[in-house]
């Protein structure tokens, strides 16, 4: 491919709209162009990178025994009402009516549609297991789309769905997909981790996210530095809690004046206690209802854990005015003893003895408070956020918090959709059984952005070889020089004949501009044809990532470049 014939418009200016580096570089390098908020056109280079990801995904899904299908993007509301998600999903589901006034939506995901396929086509245990996947455009009506391809409204996704006769088969399908995902992201040349995660709106009993490690990631990951434990912060656990006491003997509960002291650290200092000996009471709205949450004074509530414990759709911290209007309780002095609203407690709180807490009266706290004797929560569980000071729940090793970008998510769905939509089969005894399902997604377009977030420098993109739109960019530094141009044309033709994906920069531009554009585009290898051809018959080969430069004889250049690329791709898997 010749640069002069390809639609590439690079820019020097940093786009004002772009907040993260992948968005900036994709726009500057001419990979994408914005149509409107959260919607982008893929220009030739952007589409080429996208197709590279699709190819790897498709090969590994087929290798794992999955079968490719293609389902409609427009979905009837009837299916979503069967599953119960039509109202539950929220405003991100773009709903509309067709010309017959039938409710429809643009699919952000396809659990309902694929379950309908299964219940129509699969009737016997002999047809199971089966895994169906597609690579297709999805739409999620984000309220604030941002970060370019990282969080757009329209995106390309691979979604797969497994159907099994029992839990044992479903577990085997889940393992196959987890192994396939590890191969996919390894082949993409990405540094990633599979972490335990919350299942969110998809549902199900268990899930793993595949996270590309990058400083600009939206998610915080908790990773053990001694073993393989890794989890999203929303799901992460710490080592088992230990008892926290203020003295050995159980004390009497005493009300103490604490005028103007609302913060945990100030209360603890005034009472001569450590913050770990204070019970902090936070008031949340769970699906519109007030609920108090008890955590140790040095801890923070993890909202997703709270939502799951309460089986709620939405939880948010209640503001002071709402708390006062609904309870007449003074924020900063609220505690569990005699609390007139529902409250739940983190498991650590139940191991506290002789603690201090709010007295539910302005200017007063209680000391000598003991769970069981003085209060009993409606529910208890792991509700706190893990910190870097915690220890691993598996091996007790040190934990590290880092940022990551979610590029894949796999779920054990169980019978959430198959039971609701009556996707059944006949077993070996002729009995009707519900299919056991799994769901497996990869954000194909997000992988492109995540790869750039992880692989760039001050000069531009540094694509991993498997994802690069071209493997080599060939620069002709002097189109008016017959010898240089003849050598460049010869090398271009030889590289293409050898199966190397090469972009030939045949523009009549200054060498400096060509070098800058080559770095910006992030193509892994740059071959420069200049005066070395006339001087000693050599061309320059430069690796974009390392900056390593070698001179190659023109006659041997194609063979050496092709061999280097073949070896690097083989090492990637």
């Amino acid at each position: 491919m010749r640069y002069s014939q390809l639609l590439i418009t690079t820019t020097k200016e940093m786009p004002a709209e772009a907040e993260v580096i992948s968005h900036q570089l994709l726009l500057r390098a001419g990979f994408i162009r914005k149509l409107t908020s959260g919607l982008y056109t893929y220009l030739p280079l952007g589409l080429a990178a996208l197709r590279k990801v699709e190819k790897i995904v498709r090969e590994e899904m087929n290798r794992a025994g999955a079968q490719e299908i293609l389902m409609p993007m427009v979905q009837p509301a009837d299916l979503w009402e069967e599953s119960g998600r039509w109202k539950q999903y929220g405003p991100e589901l773009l709903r509309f009516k067709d010309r017959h006034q039938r409710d429809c939506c643009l699919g952000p995901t396809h659990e309902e549609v694929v379950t309908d396929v299964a219940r129509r086509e699969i009737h016997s245990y002999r047809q199971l297991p089966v895994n169906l996947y597609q690579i297709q455009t999805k739409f999620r009506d984000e309220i604030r789309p941002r970060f370019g391809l990282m969080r757009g409204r329209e995106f390309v996704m691979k979604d797969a769905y497994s159907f099994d006769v029992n839990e044992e088969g479903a577990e085997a399908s889940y393992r196959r997909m987890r192994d396939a995902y590890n191969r996919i992201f390894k082949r993409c040349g990405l540094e990633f981790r599979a972490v335990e995660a919350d299942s969110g709106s998809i549902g199900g009993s268990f899930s793993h996210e595949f996270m590309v490690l990058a400083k600009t990631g939206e998610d915080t990951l908790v990773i053990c530095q001694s073993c393989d434990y890794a989890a999203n912060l929303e799901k992460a656990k710490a080592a088992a809690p230990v008892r926290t006491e203020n003295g050995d003997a159980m004390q009497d509960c005493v009300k103490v004046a604490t005028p103007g002291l609302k913060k945990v650290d100030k209360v603890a200092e005034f009472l001569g206690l450590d913050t770990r000996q204070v019970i902090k009471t936070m008031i949340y709205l769970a699906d519109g209802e007030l609920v108090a949450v008890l955590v140790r004074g040095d801890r923070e509530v993890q909202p997703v854990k709270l939502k799951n414990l309460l089986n709620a759709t939405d939880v948010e911290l209640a503001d002071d005015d709402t708390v006062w209007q609904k309870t007449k309780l003074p924020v900063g002095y609220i505690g569990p003893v005699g609390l007139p609203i529902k409250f739940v407690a983190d498991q650590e709180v139940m191991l506290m003895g002789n603690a201090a807490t709010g007295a539910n009266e302005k200017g007063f706290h209680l000391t000598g408070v003991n769970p069981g004797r003085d209060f009993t929560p409606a529910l208890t569980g792991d509700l706190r956020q893990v910190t870097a000071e915690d220890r691993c729940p598996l091996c007790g090793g040190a934990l590290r918090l880092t940022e990551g970008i979610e590029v894949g998510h796999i779920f054990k769905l169980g019978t959430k959709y198959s039971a609701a939509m009556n996707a059944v089969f006949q077993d070996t005894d002729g009995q009707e059984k519900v299919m056991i399902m799994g769901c497996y997604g990869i954000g194909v377009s997000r992988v492109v952005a995540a790869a750039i977030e992880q692989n760039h420098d001050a000069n531009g993109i540094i694509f991993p070889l498997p994802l690069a739109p071209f493997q080599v960019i060939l620069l002709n530094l002097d189109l008016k020089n017959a010898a240089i141009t003849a050598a460049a044309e010869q090398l271009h033709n030889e590289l293409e004949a050898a199966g190397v994906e090469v972009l030939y920069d045949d523009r009549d531009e200054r060498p400096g501009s060509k070098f800058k554009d080559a770095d910006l585009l992030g193509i892994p290898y740059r071959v420069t044809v200049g005066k070395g051809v006339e001087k000693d018959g050599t061309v320059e080969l430069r690796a974009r990532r390392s900056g390593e430069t070698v001179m190659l004889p023109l006659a041997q250049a194609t063979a050496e470049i092709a061999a280097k690329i073949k070896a690097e791709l083989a090492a990637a898997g």
Side-chain angles (χ1 to χ4, degrees):
M1 174 61 70
R2 295 174 183 270
Y3 201 124
S4 61
Q5 298 172 0
L6 193 62
L7 182 61
I8 309 177
T9 308
T10 61
T11 61
K12 296 178 182 178
E13 295 77 22
M14 195 67 73
E17 68 186 84
E19 300 175 61
V20 297
I21 194 66
S22 62
H23 193 191
Q24 295 166 2
L25 292 176
L26 284 165
L27 289 171
R28 285 191 55 214
F31 281 62
I32 61 172
R33 286 294 179 260
K34 180 179 176 180
L35 177 62
T36 188
S37 178
L39 304 178
Y40 293 88
T41 296
Y42 291 85
L43 298 182
L45 289 180
L47 185 60
L50 190 74
R51 294 289 185 247
K52 288 293 187 70
V53 180
E54 289 181 0
K55 181 176 183 292
I56 292 170
V57 169
R58 190 170 273 117
E59 288 174 356
E60 292 300 335
M61 290 301 295
N62 293 344
R63 177 181 170 186
Q67 303 174 55
E68 186 170 9
I69 61 174
L70 186 60
M71 293 176 278
M73 184 182 184
V74 174
Q75 304 180 21
D78 295 352
L79 291 180
W80 285 71
E81 287 170 346
E82 280 190 67
S83 71
R85 289 205 299 174
W86 181 249
K87 294 180 179 178
Q88 177 192 8
Y89 200 89
E92 289 78 24
L93 184 67
L94 182 59
R95 302 164 175 87
F96 63 94
K97 292 183 182 293
D98 66 12
R99 67 192 301 162
H100 302 292
Q101 296 304 299
R102 292 177 296 217
D103 287 319
C104 301
C105 65
L106 290 184
T109 183
H110 276 70
E111 282 80 13
E112 286 81 2
V113 177
V114 79
T115 304
D116 184 61
V117 171
R119 70 182 175 182
R120 292 171 184 268
E121 304 298 327
I122 298 172
H123 307 291
S124 168
Y125 71 93
R126 294 186 179 89
Q127 295 172 275
L128 297 171
V130 68
N131 189 324
L132 305 174
Y133 81 96
Q134 65 173 351
I135 298 175
Q136 200 219 45
T137 298
K138 309 279 189 171
F139 190 90
R140 184 172 53 222
D141 202 8
E142 295 278 357
I143 186 171
R144 283 184 295 273
R146 54 182 182 160
F147 305 155
L149 301 185
M150 295 273 285
R151 189 170 289 279
R153 290 194 292 164
E154 186 176 282
F155 51 97
V156 179
M157 181 176 174
K158 187 283 301 178
D159 49 323
Y161 308 89
S162 62
F163 298 86
D164 285 275
V165 298
N166 53 34
E167 290 289 348
E168 184 180 357
E171 175 63 28
S173 293
Y174 190 87
R175 287 197 304 269
R176 278 195 296 273
M177 285 297 97
R178 189 168 58 193
D179 291 345
Y181 274 43
N182 280 315
R183 292 194 300 269
I184 286 168
F185 296 120
K186 181 176 182 293
R187 286 185 59 186
C188 287
L190 301 174
E191 183 184 359
F192 70 96
R193 288 292 293 265
V195 304
E196 292 180 20
D198 181 66
S199 296
S201 61
I202 301 296
S205 60
F206 191 67
S207 73
H208 280 87
E209 288 174 335
F210 287 77
M211 311 291 291
V212 169
L213 305 184
K215 293 179 181 179
T216 50
E218 292 184 277
D219 293 286
T220 300
L221 313 181
V222 179
I223 297 173
C224 179
Q225 300 188 68
S226 301
C227 75
D228 291 335
Y229 178 75
N232 192 300
L233 187 61
E234 298 173 345
K235 188 79 171 180
K237 299 177 182 179
V242 296
R243 188 165 183 80
T244 304
E245 292 193 27
N246 175 25
D248 295 329
M250 188 178 290
Q251 301 171 1
D252 292 333
C253 187
V254 177
K255 185 163 71 171
V256 179
T258 52
L261 302 177
K262 300 171 66 174
K263 299 293 185 182
V264 168
D265 57 343
K266 298 298 183 183
V267 172
E269 182 182 4
F270 179 79
L271 297 175
L273 301 175
D274 190 280
T275 55
R276 292 178 299 172
Q277 296 167 320
V278 178
I279 296 174
K280 181 164 59 176
T281 305
M282 308 294 292
I283 309 296
Y284 280 79
L285 283 168
D287 294 339
E289 297 295 326
L290 284 185
V291 60
V293 186
L294 311 182
V295 291
R296 212 171 70 182
D298 60 332
R299 305 301 194 190
E300 298 297 331
V301 176
Q302 169 42 249
V304 173
K305 290 182 179 181
L306 175 62
K307 182 179 74 171
N308 291 337
L309 180 72
L310 296 173
N311 196 26
T313 300
D314 181 61
V315 298
E316 61 177 331
L317 193 63
D319 60 55
D320 293 2
D321 289 341
T322 299
V323 174
W324 176 253
Q325 289 170 11
K326 288 181 176 288
T327 69
K328 302 305 179 187
L329 293 173
V331 173
Y333 300 96
I334 300 175
V337 181
L339 187 61
I341 63 173
K342 176 182 178 180
F343 65 93
V344 298
D346 179 68
Q347 57 192 2
E348 275 187 327
V349 170
M350 305 309 292
L351 295 176
M352 296 175 70
N354 300 324
T357 186
N360 296 320
E361 182 180 343
K362 187 175 182 179
F364 289 91
H365 280 75
L366 300 177
T367 61
V369 174
N370 288 271
R373 184 194 70 180
D374 299 315
F375 67 86
T376 302
L379 295 168
T380 61
D382 177 16
L383 293 176
R384 73 172 179 89
Q385 191 140 287
V386 169
T387 70
E389 285 71 42
D390 285 309
R391 309 299 290 184
C392 174
L394 297 185
C395 73
L399 296 176
R400 175 170 66 95
L401 271 59
T402 187
E403 286 69 45
I405 301 166
E406 180 191 344
V407 290
H409 204 156
I410 60 177
F411 304 81
K412 289 182 181 178
L413 292 178
T415 60
K416 174 180 170 67
Y417 296 92
S418 52
M421 299 179 66
N422 197 37
V424 298
F425 67 97
Q426 285 192 341
D427 67 9
T428 54
D429 298 323
Q431 299 297 309
E432 199 172 75
K433 296 288 181 63
V434 178
M435 300 178 204
I436 311 296
M437 292 179 60
C439 169
Y440 319 94
I442 289 178
V444 175
S445 47
R446 200 171 228 241
V447 169
V448 176
I452 296 171
E453 292 291 336
Q454 194 178 79
N455 298 275
H456 65 272
D457 62 13
N459 296 317
I461 302 167
I462 307 175
F463 268 117
L465 183 63
L467 302 189
F470 291 94
Q471 296 164 338
V472 171
I473 183 166
L474 173 64
L475 307 188
N476 181 339
L477 293 191
D478 190 353
L479 269 69
K480 297 180 175 63
N481 184 304
I484 290 174
T485 296
E489 293 283 348
Q490 174 190 332
L491 194 51
H492 172 244
N493 294 337
E494 288 178 353
L495 287 168
E496 284 198 332
V500 175
E501 299 164 355
V502 56
L503 175 61
Y504 176 29
D505 191 345
D506 60 340
R507 297 174 298 165
D508 187 14
E509 293 281 352
R510 292 177 290 107
S513 295
K514 293 190 175 188
F515 289 137
K516 285 186 178 297
D517 282 343
D519 280 348
L520 178 61
L521 298 180
I523 296 172
Y525 291 101
R526 187 187 77 197
V527 178
T528 304
V529 183
K531 295 190 178 299
V533 166
E534 291 184 305
K535 181 180 178 181
D536 54 13
T538 60
V539 297
E540 180 188 89
L541 174 65
R542 181 177 183 270
R544 174 69 179 90
R545 183 175 299 279
S546 67
E548 180 185 356
T549 301
V550 295
M551 302 304 296
L552 301 175
L554 178 61
Q556 300 171 21
T558 296
E560 293 200 28
I561 293 167
K564 184 180 287 288
I565 289 171
K566 183 179 179 180
E568 189 171 336
L569 289 175

